[in-house]
Amino acid sequence: MAAEPVEVDGKTCPVFHGFDPMAKPEQLADPALALKGAREEAPVFYMPQYGLWCMTRYEDVREAFRDSATYSNASTIRVPDVPPEYADKLAYFPVK
């Protein structure tokens, strides 16, 4: 696997080609092994197949948790509404 830049929305972004844990069961089972090279070559990289960024170093992830205004995933993670027929089983979820 190698890190190579790609253009996304007019900006150059690093991509660690070959990393796709959803398509490669061995990477899903042990992502640390696959991400070892990324930590050295592209510690923060874009995953164009999912439209997401991946951080591989503890320090970077820790900083992202501390700065939710800059590193927000609010526009990428969607949680569907709980169907009304399950509302009584999951009372802590709002039902629309």
Side-chain angles (χ1 to χ4, degrees):
M1 288 184 275
E4 295 178 20
V6 297
E7 192 168 310
V8 178
D9 295 331
K11 297 177 183 170
T12 302
C13 304
V15 173
F16 193 64
H17 295 282
F19 179 69
D20 189 349
M22 304 313 277
K24 298 179 179 179
E26 68 279 4
Q27 290 179 354
L28 186 59
D30 188 5
L33 182 62
L35 291 172
K36 182 179 181 195
R39 278 192 296 279
E40 298 166 3
E41 294 183 41
V44 178
F45 63 91
Y46 187 67
M47 298 177 71
Q49 67 272 39
Y50 303 111
L52 300 172
W53 288 87
C54 180
M55 294 182 162
T56 63
R57 296 186 305 199
Y58 174 81
E59 297 80 15
D60 295 329
V61 172
R62 189 173 174 179
E63 177 61 27
F65 277 124
R66 290 182 174 159
D67 183 0
S68 61
T70 301
Y71 302 99
S72 174
N73 64 0
S75 66
T76 59
I77 296 180
R78 306 269 192 270
V79 178
D81 294 330
V82 174
E85 62 268 23
Y86 296 105
D88 62 330
K89 296 174 181 65
L90 302 170
Y92 52 91
F93 283 103
V95 177
K96 293 182 180 178

